Amino acid sequence: MDKPISIDERLKMCASLVSENARLVDVGCDHAYLPIWLIKQNKISHAIAADINELPLLSGKQNAESYGADNIEFRLGSGLEPVSLEDSITDVIIAGMGGEVIRDIVLDSPLTRDKNLNLILQPMTRSEDLIKALYKNGFEIKTQKCVVSKNKCYTVMAVHYTGKTDNIGDTFPYLGKLDLKDETNLRFIGAHLRNLENKSKGDKSLLHLINKIKKMIE
C-alpha cells in the first residue's frame, strides 16, 4: 500500500494552479513534499526539484523514495539555473520565499520569457513589489487567490509572460486580480492596509492610497 502524503493548504493552493500532466520545476523545493504530492495525485508527469542547498535535496530524495514517487529529478543550483530548454518544462512553482527573491529568480532566467510557461508564485512577503516588477517586465497575472494556512493568510498567483508592459496604477500591486468580495482575499488586503497605515506615520503621502484601497473594498 502506498504511503499517504499530506501537504498544507498553502501548498494545496499552489498545486491547484498547476497544469494537468505538467512537466514541473519546484524552485527551492525544501523537502520536495509538493512535487511528491503532485506525482502521487497523478496531476503531473515529471518534476525537477531544485534547491540552492544540498541538504534539502538529500531530504527530498529520501522522501521521494519513502513515498514511492518516481519521475522526480533533484538538481542543485540557484533559482532556475539548473534547468535548461531541453527539459521542456511547462510549469514553475516558486513558493515560500520573499517577494523580492521570487522577483529576482523570475527576472534573472530567460526561461520565464516563454509565453506558454505557467509560473506559480507564492510570496511570503512584499507581494506588492513582486507584482510591480512583473508588470514592469512584461508579465501578467492570469489568476490570483488567497488561502489561510496555519492561521496565516497568503496569496498565490499564476503568471505568464506577454512581453507587454502595463501601467497598473497605485492600487493594483495591493489588490492584484483578487475577488474583492471574497473574505479570505479581504483578510489578505487588510494586512496590506495595516502595513501601509504603519508606514503612513512617517509618510503622509500614503494616506491617499490607503483611502483609495478602502473605498474599493467597501
Side-chain angles (χ1 to χ4, degrees):
M1 183 180 294
D2 282 350
K3 182 179 177 181
I5 181 171
S6 61
I7 55 175
D8 65 21
E9 296 304 313
R10 177 178 65 89
L11 292 182
K12 281 182 182 177
M13 181 64 80
C14 293
S16 73
L17 297 177
V18 174
S19 309
E20 290 295 330
N21 298 314
R23 290 181 60 85
L24 173 76
V25 179
D26 183 14
V27 177
C29 66
D30 197 14
H31 302 290
Y33 290 127
L34 182 51
I36 292 170
W37 188 86
L38 285 163
I39 288 279
K40 300 299 283 185
Q41 294 288 316
N42 295 315
K43 182 158 188 182
I44 63 175
S45 61
H46 179 85
I48 297 170
D51 207 286
I52 197 170
N53 296 308
E54 290 186 8
L55 283 178
L57 290 177
L58 178 60
S59 175
K61 286 179 184 177
Q62 292 171 341
N63 287 331
E65 290 174 6
S66 175
Y67 289 104
D70 299 324
N71 298 332
I72 302 179
E73 296 180 55
F74 293 87
R75 298 187 188 175
L76 182 67
S78 176
L80 283 163
E81 287 177 4
V83 185
S84 70
L85 281 172
E86 287 70 31
D87 291 309
S88 301
I89 59 173
T90 63
D91 293 59
V92 173
I93 292 178
I94 313 174
M97 305 179 197
E100 292 168 307
V101 176
I102 294 175
R103 173 200 67 196
D104 291 346
I105 292 171
V106 171
L107 298 185
D108 286 350
S109 174
L111 294 178
T112 60
R113 271 69 175 183
D114 178 351
K115 294 182 179 181
N116 295 314
L117 185 67
N118 183 34
L119 289 162
I120 300 151
L121 311 177
Q122 186 273 300
M124 302 296 274
T125 57
R126 303 187 76 103
S127 62
E128 70 278 15
D129 291 335
L130 173 59
I131 290 172
K132 287 176 189 176
L134 288 171
Y135 276 82
K136 184 179 178 180
N137 288 279
F139 294 84
E140 179 185 36
I141 298 171
K142 296 182 291 183
T143 304
Q144 186 178 2
K145 301 178 180 181
C146 291
V147 63
V148 175
S149 183
K150 299 174 183 175
N151 205 34
K152 291 186 179 180
C153 196
Y154 304 96
T155 193
V156 184
M157 57 193 88
V159 172
H160 70 144
Y161 182 70
T162 66
K164 300 174 184 177
T165 57
D166 196 355
N167 180 14
I168 58 174
D170 56 355
T171 60
F172 188 84
Y174 301 91
L175 305 177
K177 288 195 173 177
L178 294 173
D179 177 358
L180 302 184
K181 296 179 181 179
D182 181 271
E183 289 295 326
T184 304
N185 295 346
L186 290 175
R187 175 173 169 175
F188 180 77
I189 295 165
H192 271 315
L193 283 171
R194 288 190 293 275
N195 288 335
L196 286 169
E197 285 166 350
N198 286 333
K199 290 180 181 178
S200 72
K201 294 171 185 176
D203 183 359
K204 298 301 181 186
S205 67
L206 291 173
L207 292 173
H208 177 65
L209 173 60
I210 291 167
N211 289 331
K212 281 177 72 175
I213 293 173
K214 285 182 175 178
K215 286 180 180 179
M216 292 177 75
I217 63 175
E218 283 178 355

